[in-house]
């Protein structure tokens, strides 16, 4: 059994209701997130994914329950919120909700300067993340004039420059073309290589199955199922309740086992490429 020190985030009996709503957006939710994990959050609209993310970052305060980061409960004071937001960064589904500075360079500088970092250090950090995320060609442009994919890169840079322990991405590939989707996926992979815990809401089951260490299915403000991608995607009842289907590669793998084309004890592949190698 995992010890408490392994959890970077602990959510205990958290409930939240938006003003004017009768139904709870989060309803006694419990969740632990392992340090350094890649966790995909899935579920239908209104299942509570985005509300949970806002609570994890301190943007929303639960009506009931407790959220702890690195074993310390979030304190809803100016100092406490600054502390949690330096550790837990969030990239919204719509980058226009996040970007507001006159230029890309100023936008990326804002957060790290707000943490009290001196200007020389901030300059080095900003220039490093701009180069790393390949933002240099448009660093002097107004953020509002960028393409959707470029805005997403800047929104991620906003958070990455502050060296968070946890990065939350709410539908990072939403409305992006294939080129920028691939770019965002490459950036996400680089985050995990740095040891950053990544929490991602996505509707792409094939990607979640291939990428994640764990999948969390949410339904009506609660965790319906949490486990490895294979464990969760093998629970067809839970998937159906969440309005989801198993990934294509898993359905094909199970079909091939039924027809005895591959041995019964063949380990489940994470991707079509792995399945082809098995064949």
């Amino acid at each position: 059994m995992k010890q408490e020190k392994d959890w970077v985030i602990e959510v205990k009996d958290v409930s939240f209701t938006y003003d004017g709503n009768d139904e709870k957006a989060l309803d006694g939710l419990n969740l632990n997130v392992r340090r350094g994990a890649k966790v995909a959050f899935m579920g239908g609209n209104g299942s509570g994914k985005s509300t949970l993310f806002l609570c994890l970052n301190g943007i929303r305060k639960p009506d009931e329950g407790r959220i702890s980061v690195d074993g310390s409960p979030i304190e809803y004071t100016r100092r406490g919120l600054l502390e949690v937001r330096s550790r837990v960064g969030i990239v919204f589904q719509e980058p226009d909700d996040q970007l507001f500075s006159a230029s890309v360079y100023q936008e990326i500088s804002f957060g790290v300067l707000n943490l009290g970092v001196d200007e020389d250090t901030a300059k080095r950090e900003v220039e490093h993340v701009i180069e790393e995320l390949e933002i240099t060609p448009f660093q002097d442009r107004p953020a509002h004039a960028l393409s959707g994919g470029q805005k997403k890169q800047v929104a991620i840079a906003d958070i990455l420059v502050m060296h968070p322990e946890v990065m939350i991405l709410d539908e990072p590939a939403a409305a992006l073309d294939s080129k920028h989707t691939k770019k965002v996926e490459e950036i996400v992979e680089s985050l995990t290589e740095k040891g950053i815990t990544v929490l991602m809401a996505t509707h792409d089951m094939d990607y979640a199955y291939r990428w994640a260490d764990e999948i969390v299915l949410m339904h009506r403000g609660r965790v319906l199922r949490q486990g490895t991608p294979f464990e969760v995607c093998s629970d067809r009842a839970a998937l159906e309740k969440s309005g989801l289907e198993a990934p294509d590669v898993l359905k094909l793998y199970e079909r091939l086992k039924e027809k005895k084309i591959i041995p019964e004890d063949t380990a489940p592949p994470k991707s079509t490429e792995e399945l082809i190698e098995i064949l």
Side-chain angles (χ1 to χ4, degrees):
M1 182 176 178
K2 295 288 183 184
Q3 298 299 308
E4 189 170 304
K5 65 182 180 181
D6 293 318
W7 308 127
V8 66
I9 287 177
E10 298 169 88
V11 181
K12 180 69 173 173
D13 298 327
V14 164
S15 294
F16 179 85
T17 305
Y18 288 98
D19 290 342
N21 285 13
D22 294 328
E23 189 172 343
K24 292 181 178 180
L26 300 176
D27 186 8
L29 186 144
N30 290 282
L31 174 75
N32 289 332
V33 176
R34 180 170 49 83
R35 193 180 311 279
K38 300 181 289 186
V39 186
F41 286 75
M42 309 192 76
N45 292 333
S47 61
K49 303 184 300 294
S50 294
T51 303
L52 173 62
F53 287 171
L54 295 175
C55 289
L56 294 180
N57 181 255
I59 294 173
R60 295 287 185 181
K61 181 180 178 181
D63 302 324
E64 302 173 20
R66 185 184 75 247
I67 297 174
S68 298
V69 178
D70 275 335
S72 300
I74 296 176
E75 294 182 8
Y76 296 90
T77 61
R78 186 179 184 281
R79 181 176 178 178
L81 292 174
L82 190 64
E83 173 71 17
V84 73
R85 288 169 190 166
S86 70
R87 292 183 171 190
V88 181
I90 183 169
V91 176
F92 298 118
Q93 181 173 343
E94 296 293 339
D96 285 331
D97 294 339
Q98 185 170 342
L99 308 180
F100 59 88
S101 296
S103 73
V104 167
Y105 190 96
Q106 289 175 325
E107 176 65 43
I108 299 171
S109 301
F110 177 81
V112 68
L113 288 171
N114 197 42
L115 292 178
V117 175
D118 67 83
E119 290 193 12
D120 288 341
T121 301
K123 184 174 184 292
R124 287 195 301 272
E125 296 286 358
V126 170
E127 290 176 352
H128 174 74
V129 78
I130 281 176
E131 182 178 356
E132 183 180 9
L133 269 60
E134 300 179 6
I135 290 170
T136 306
F138 51 89
Q139 67 175 352
D140 296 320
R141 293 174 60 188
H144 66 80
L146 303 179
S147 70
Q150 290 170 335
K151 287 179 180 178
K152 193 74 77 170
Q153 285 172 256
V154 174
I156 294 173
D158 268 3
I159 307 303
L160 188 57
V161 74
M162 294 187 282
H163 299 288
E165 296 175 49
V166 180
M167 179 80 89
I168 297 172
L169 303 164
D170 196 352
E171 296 286 349
L176 298 186
D177 59 26
S178 58
K179 173 186 172 183
H180 283 104
T181 296
K182 186 173 186 298
K183 180 63 184 173
V184 169
E185 289 179 1
E186 289 172 355
I187 292 171
V188 170
E189 199 58 40
S190 74
L191 299 178
T192 62
E193 289 172 0
K194 296 175 189 292
I196 297 172
T197 305
V198 180
L199 313 184
M200 180 194 298
T202 178
H203 284 94
D204 188 338
M205 178 57 85
D206 292 299
Y207 176 69
Y209 180 77
R210 180 176 72 249
W211 169 80
D213 297 319
E214 285 194 318
I215 292 177
V216 175
L217 291 185
M218 294 187 61
H219 182 68
R220 294 187 176 180
R222 294 185 175 185
V223 173
L224 177 64
R225 189 76 159 82
Q226 180 178 4
T228 67
F230 181 72
E231 289 170 345
V232 172
C233 293
S234 297
D235 188 339
R236 299 306 166 82
L239 291 181
E240 184 177 356
K241 194 169 185 178
S242 302
L244 299 167
E245 291 189 6
D248 291 338
V249 67
L250 186 55
K251 289 190 284 189
L252 181 56
Y253 158 78
E254 292 174 348
R255 186 68 173 152
L256 291 172
K257 283 204 305 180
E258 287 174 8
K259 290 184 171 293
K260 303 190 185 305
I261 296 173
I262 59 176
E264 184 68 28
D265 60 354
T266 302
K270 296 284 282 186
S271 64
T272 304
E273 289 75 17
E274 284 188 20
L275 183 57
I276 290 172
E277 287 182 12
I278 292 171
L279 295 170

